[in-house]
Amino acid sequence: MKTAIVGRTVIPGDGSEPGEGGVLLIRDGRIERVARRVPRGYLAVDARDCTILPGLIDAHVHLCLGGEIHFEDVLFRDPPELLALRAAARAQELLAAGYTTVRDMGAPARVVLALRDAIRAGVVPGPRVLAPGRIITATGGHGDFLPEGVIHRWGLGLVADGPDELRRAVRTEIKAGADFIKFCATGGVLDPQSEPGTQEFTAAEMEAIVTEAHRMGRKVAAHAQGTGGIAAAIRAGVDTIEHGVFLDEETAELMRERGVFFVPTLAASHNLLREGGEGLPPHVIRKAREVGEAHRESFILALRMGVPIVAGTDAGIPFCRHGDNALELALMVELGMSPLEAITAATGRAAEALGLPTVGTLEPGKVADVIAVRGDPLDGIDILRDRGRIALVLQAGRPVAGSERGRWPG
Ligand SMILES: [Zn+2]
């Protein structure tokens, strides 16, 4: 099957500017090349008012949550079956918003692992999902939400302490089907007891997690907000730093040197305080206020120092809904990235961070995960947030969403 999208320009996703041709040729679900006109034998779809770019990637979402203010109530009240069905509905929202790949960052039980498998098998529509299973956390740490003495069958966090227990925790999640491992290196904003600046695992504990995960061929993502915890996580060998709220120059330099990717999740702190945090518990409002400004400064510092930055929203946490994920790109541009850099952070660079060599750019041979958007996001990144402008979303060359979906052959 040979198809062509005739657009105005093509943004390749590898960081380079759009070239001359506006026609993207797709063959058997793969990118063939960018051309100036449609060759003979191709079925062409006219999208001349559209910019063509790779399907977007969000490197930090929580599919088990939908932006609820009191998310613990949902997580610990509803059975995993219900959480999974809701997660499946959110996966469709993400597709409609032009997101063809997401990295989930932790869910109870096997909620998102099962959804990932169902999407992969074609049972339900949704983006390609990478999932870690549960979040590995220290006792009383950021991912240990339950009050002392309460046992719950479906924890969001897998609590473990000491190198031996942590190796077992890594193996447990890999056995459950984890694509990568996530752990909390420091406290955070949303739980009742931790502090964002506090390191929660020792250097030896982090090393045990990372060494074991890498030995098993899995990447490692660290929720890391305080400077000391970020540095310890980097030294332990993690692949991505999530949030990175209190980054300093020395730590940023260490990240750049070691090629550790930074997933700032600017949308998270932006959304938490957007409406003054109304309805949130007082401890969340206090902590969100404490990190807000530092978070933005860390992003600006990382950008200036050349740390590889990847787009991720934390969609699912309070006020952070799935479907408005391109808000992250708008915030990155507001803080100094060019629109092209922001798009790269949500396409080629993100695929690199996640270890997905077959998606993220429109280079020949890649899987044809492609979107067509009316207008030019290089002129105004905000258009990526406008659902009405998404004309076409393709996964492996097949139409899955967008207003022009019906015109696409197959
Ligand atoms: Zn998160």
Side-chain angles (χ1 to χ4, degrees):
M1 170 95 114
K2 296 195 283 185
T3 43
I5 318 178
V6 184
R8 45 197 299 276
T9 51
V10 176
I11 299 175
D14 60 359
S16 62
E17 301 273 347
E20 289 285 302
V23 178
L24 183 70
L25 305 181
I26 296 170
R27 191 174 195 155
D28 300 325
R30 300 254 169 187
I31 306 294
E32 194 174 353
R33 63 188 166 90
V34 177
R36 291 190 193 207
R37 58 187 66 81
V38 183
R40 221 179 277 239
Y42 284 74
L43 285 165
V45 169
D46 181 5
R48 251 169 285 208
D49 55 347
C50 291
T51 302
I52 297 163
L53 57 158
L56 298 171
I57 300 174
D58 190 325
H60 193 131
V61 303
H62 294 275
L63 281 158
C64 63
L65 293 168
E68 301 90 349
I69 296 182
H70 295 286
F71 65 94
E72 310 96 304
D73 292 357
V74 179
L75 281 183
F76 300 126
R77 178 195 64 206
D78 293 341
E81 294 84 350
L82 184 53
L83 296 179
L85 289 165
R86 287 207 202 95
R90 291 176 196 128
Q92 288 203 49
E93 283 292 304
L94 286 163
L95 272 188
Y99 280 78
T100 53
T101 298
V102 297
R103 185 177 59 155
D104 190 81
M105 289 310 271
R110 292 181 186 170
V111 166
V112 176
L113 295 170
L115 174 62
R116 172 202 63 191
D117 293 345
I119 291 171
R120 197 179 283 164
V123 177
V124 291
R128 170 184 294 96
V129 175
L130 292 187
R134 292 174 291 178
I135 302 166
I136 297 177
T137 187
T139 296
H142 174 57
D144 182 10
F145 278 88
L146 293 171
E148 206 267 315
V150 174
I151 291 170
H152 194 286
R153 279 194 293 153
W154 310 308
L156 174 69
L158 173 55
V159 178
D161 303 285
D164 284 345
E165 269 184 38
L166 287 163
R167 273 187 283 270
R168 180 192 286 270
V170 167
R171 291 169 188 164
T172 303
E173 289 317 280
I174 291 176
K175 180 182 177 186
D179 296 301
F180 68 99
I181 292 296
K182 179 191 179 182
F183 75 91
C184 294
T186 70
V189 172
L190 291 174
D191 71 282
Q193 77 262 331
S194 81
E195 289 301 327
T198 307
Q199 183 175 331
E200 295 188 333
F201 280 126
T202 64
E205 287 177 314
M206 293 192 207
E207 247 182 72
I209 296 171
V210 176
T211 308
E212 189 60 17
H214 282 173
R215 202 177 59 74
M216 304 286 281
R218 303 310 199 274
K219 286 189 184 292
V220 182
H223 161 106
Q225 303 198 342
T227 318
I230 299 172
I234 297 166
R235 293 208 169 86
V238 300
D239 301 283
T240 65
I241 291 289
E242 311 299 312
H243 316 303
V245 171
F246 298 104
L247 207 58
D248 65 2
E249 212 157 299
E250 198 187 327
T251 320
E253 177 56 24
L254 198 59
M255 286 180 80
R256 197 194 55 78
E257 231 175 70
R258 300 199 176 195
V260 177
F261 293 89
F262 179 30
V263 186
T265 68
L266 297 169
S269 45
H270 174 87
N271 274 328
L272 280 178
L273 293 177
R274 194 176 44 181
E275 284 138 39
E278 205 183 330
L280 288 172
H283 65 263
V284 174
I285 297 180
R286 171 186 62 82
K287 291 195 272 183
R289 284 196 184 127
E290 284 169 13
V291 303
E293 192 48 40
H295 198 186
R296 285 186 288 278
E297 280 169 16
S298 287
F299 174 82
I300 293 167
L301 174 72
L303 183 61
R304 177 164 58 80
M305 301 212 23
V307 176
I309 297 175
V310 170
T313 52
D314 225 349
I317 69 160
F319 306 117
C320 222
R321 296 194 167 276
H322 297 274
D324 188 21
N325 308 62
L327 164 65
E328 184 71 15
L329 280 64
L331 294 170
M332 287 171 148
V333 169
E334 208 178 288
L335 293 181
M337 258 193 178
S338 70
L340 185 65
E341 286 173 316
I343 288 169
T344 309
T347 54
R349 168 97 10 99
E352 206 187 311
L354 272 47
L356 296 173
T358 61
V359 296
T361 73
L362 301 179
E363 290 160 291
K366 297 248 177 165
V367 172
D369 287 2
V370 181
I371 62 173
V373 185
R374 284 190 192 87
D376 185 357
L378 299 182
D379 272 350
I381 195 77
D382 266 328
I383 69 164
L384 291 174
R385 297 177 65 189
D386 182 352
R387 190 75 57 93
R389 285 177 176 270
I390 307 224
L392 204 54
V393 181
L394 302 180
Q395 271 184 313
R398 295 164 52 94
V400 289
S403 55
E404 303 302 313
R405 174 187 178 177
R407 289 172 54 209
W408 188 261

